[in-house]
Amino acid sequence: MKAETVARGGAEQNNWKRRIGVIILPALAVLTAPLFLNVPTSASQNAQLKPIEQLGARLFFDTNLSKNRTQSCATCHSPEHAFTDPRETAAGRAVSMGDEAGAMGDRNTPTLMYSHMTPPLTKHENGKITGGLFWDGRADNLQEQAKGPMLNPVEMNMPDGASVAERIRENPEYAVQFRQLFGDDVFSDPEKVFDAAAQALAAYQSTEEFSPFDSKYDRVLRGEEKFTSLEDFGRQVFLTWNCQLCHRPIRSGGDLSTELFTSFEYHNIGLPVNPKARELSGKGSDYVDTGLTSGTHIADPAQAGKFKVATLRNVAVTGPYMHNGVFDKLRTSIEFYNKYTSLQPAAQINPETGKPWGDAEVPENLSTFQLKTGLALSDYRIKALEAFLRTLTDKRYEHLMPEMGQ
């Protein structure tokens, strides 16, 4: 996330107003009738938001909720880019710039698409951990997640919830809406305001705009289209290779129409450090990102190095890939897994660098069974798998897909 100029922030707000057709009403009018916004979704350009979702939409695009008033949630989660960060840094798009000049994250900004369908962090009797938001699962739900970036020093950089509440109080329209939705006493306690803002943001991120289920894959399921022969073969590769072990195509209950292509599990797949991103983050060469154990909720050393299995929906347009953005291309990500099952010397070389893949940042706790299950992929099978994964792109973002292999 970048420290942009205040002028950029204002432009962003104006763009949002044009995009969702906000009509600023006098406070008195809002008192007597809730303000509805028409927000374009993939299903309908005229879908109305509920009042709390409308408030969440306004907050999502409000740069005033960052310390220097330069950055909103939408800065790093652009609706026009599948709710990922389209901005370039010295590390490409691998990591994001923050509100404070020079502040850089160390992890790739994940998409917010379909995130409201993520279950809370759960520790199972067999030791497996599933669910939770962020790469390390530190938030159980979207309301908790919404608070994190606002208070993160390398993101929106607000010092505390009370500071966020004070920025909200500055806006007379917010004052009216918050009292309408959360009660007349909401401003009696800054934490109530902060909680209410997070609740509104979570409500907005749970709308159909974030989960349209209208990709080619979905359209094929509904009988509206057919896979090409290459895409259909790629689907078979997905089901017979090790992909389905972590990105299984049938959720609990077996409803393919709402499949997210993730098991919600955590795995260490042996990723190397992204050296440029690590350098920009300022964390130093001795720093090790241990993933699941980097938060305060998991202390088990057996979980070190594990990161959440990401959804494959919109994967063709949400690169760079992996938790640290170490790979630029989708095909490279596929080839990385092939290094565990192929004996070919070429499979041990990163095609983006022309060098070996590199050592795992955390060599312990590798998900060996998942990584080494399945046959080695030929070039054609890799191509077919990529073709299938591209069908998981929601219709709104199909124009963003690069050419195959790019």
Side-chain angles (χ1 to χ4, degrees):
M1 302 177 191
K2 181 181 181 180
E4 303 173 25
T5 64
V6 175
R8 162 70 185 273
E12 182 177 2
Q13 288 178 303
N14 290 335
N15 180 61
W16 169 72
K17 291 175 182 177
R18 289 193 300 271
R19 192 175 70 86
I20 63 176
V22 175
I23 301 173
I24 304 300
L25 299 179
L28 249 145
V30 180
L31 280 169
T32 58
L35 176 61
F36 287 91
L37 306 180
N38 288 328
V39 178
T41 68
S42 55
S44 170
Q45 293 297 311
N46 299 307
Q48 284 190 324
L49 293 179
K50 298 174 183 177
I52 191 170
E53 296 166 353
Q54 161 209 306
L55 175 59
R58 295 193 66 187
L59 293 169
F60 192 84
F61 291 88
D62 193 344
T63 57
N64 289 318
L65 300 185
S66 60
K67 183 178 179 181
N68 295 312
R69 304 178 190 267
T70 68
Q71 189 160 286
S72 70
C73 302
T75 304
C76 295
H77 297 284
S78 167
E80 305 307 322
H81 294 83
F83 291 94
T84 59
D85 192 345
R87 299 170 300 161
E88 293 285 339
T89 72
R93 293 171 56 187
V95 292
S96 293
M97 300 174 281
D99 171 76
E100 195 68 39
M104 296 288 296
D106 192 56
R107 293 177 181 171
N108 181 253
T109 299
T111 178
L112 291 179
M113 299 291 287
Y114 301 93
S115 60
H116 68 94
M117 302 177 73
T118 302
L121 189 77
T122 302
K123 304 175 188 177
H124 301 272
E125 291 183 0
N126 62 2
K128 184 180 294 185
I129 296 174
T130 60
L133 295 158
F134 295 108
W135 285 108
D136 57 15
R138 64 185 182 273
D140 273 344
N141 52 53
L142 277 177
Q143 189 167 343
E144 288 183 25
Q145 183 273 337
K147 293 181 176 182
M150 286 189 276
L151 304 186
N152 192 318
V154 296
E155 295 185 61
M156 296 170 77
N157 197 31
M158 294 294 277
D160 47 42
S163 302
V164 177
E166 186 57 36
R167 292 290 178 88
I168 290 171
R169 286 179 65 96
E170 293 176 0
N171 188 322
E173 292 173 21
Y174 282 156
V176 172
Q177 289 179 295
F178 270 75
R179 289 190 174 96
Q180 279 188 319
L181 291 167
F182 305 106
D184 290 337
D185 68 338
V186 65
F187 287 102
S188 65
D189 180 354
E191 288 305 313
K192 283 186 178 181
V193 180
F194 192 36
D195 287 342
Q199 185 179 339
L201 282 164
Y204 171 54
Q205 293 174 61
S206 300
T207 61
E208 189 180 2
E209 183 173 6
F210 291 80
S211 52
F213 289 104
D214 66 353
S215 68
K216 182 174 182 179
Y217 169 83
D218 299 297
R219 301 194 298 271
V220 169
L221 283 185
R222 294 193 292 264
E224 299 167 3
E225 292 188 40
K226 292 183 178 181
F227 288 129
T228 66
S229 58
L230 185 65
E231 292 165 350
D232 193 50
F233 182 56
R235 181 178 64 88
Q236 296 301 324
V237 173
F238 180 89
L239 293 171
T240 57
W241 200 39
N242 49 3
C243 313
Q244 53 85 25
L245 295 177
C246 297
H247 298 282
R248 59 190 179 199
I250 301 178
R251 295 174 63 211
S252 178
D255 186 358
L256 284 173
S257 67
T258 57
E259 175 56 46
L260 299 186
F261 292 89
T262 172
S263 62
F264 302 108
E265 295 173 350
Y266 290 79
H267 289 282
N268 180 359
I269 62 172
L271 284 173
V273 171
N274 183 336
K276 192 62 180 179
R278 181 59 52 81
E279 177 188 349
L280 292 174
S281 73
K283 290 184 177 294
S285 58
D286 293 333
Y287 174 77
V288 177
D289 190 348
T290 58
L292 195 54
T293 60
S294 63
T296 59
H297 53 288
I298 302 293
D300 182 4
Q303 303 299 332
K306 296 183 180 182
F307 291 85
K308 188 174 70 173
V309 175
T311 177
L312 291 181
R313 283 192 173 268
N314 293 301
V315 68
V317 298
T318 53
Y321 299 97
M322 309 303 184
H323 71 269
N324 56 4
V326 68
F327 304 136
D328 287 330
K329 299 179 181 180
L330 177 57
R331 181 184 170 96
T332 305
S333 300
I334 298 171
E335 293 190 49
F336 173 77
Y337 290 104
N338 203 33
K339 81 168 192 170
Y340 289 102
T341 54
S342 176
L343 298 177
Q344 296 297 320
Q348 307 308 311
I349 301 298
N350 180 341
E352 293 182 5
T353 65
K355 300 176 181 179
W357 292 102
D359 296 332
E361 181 172 13
V362 179
E364 301 81 22
N365 309 319
L366 291 181
S367 294
T368 305
F369 172 76
Q370 290 82 358
L371 292 169
K372 295 191 175 182
T373 297
L375 301 174
L377 292 186
S378 66
D379 183 73
Y380 183 72
R381 285 175 176 263
I382 291 172
K383 183 178 180 180
L385 181 54
E386 181 182 5
F388 170 69
L389 294 178
R390 288 164 63 89
T391 71
L392 305 182
T393 306
D394 285 317
K395 192 171 186 178
R396 178 182 179 185
Y397 302 116
E398 287 177 341
H399 71 282
L400 296 178
M401 284 195 290
E403 295 295 323
M404 281 276 291
Q406 299 301 309

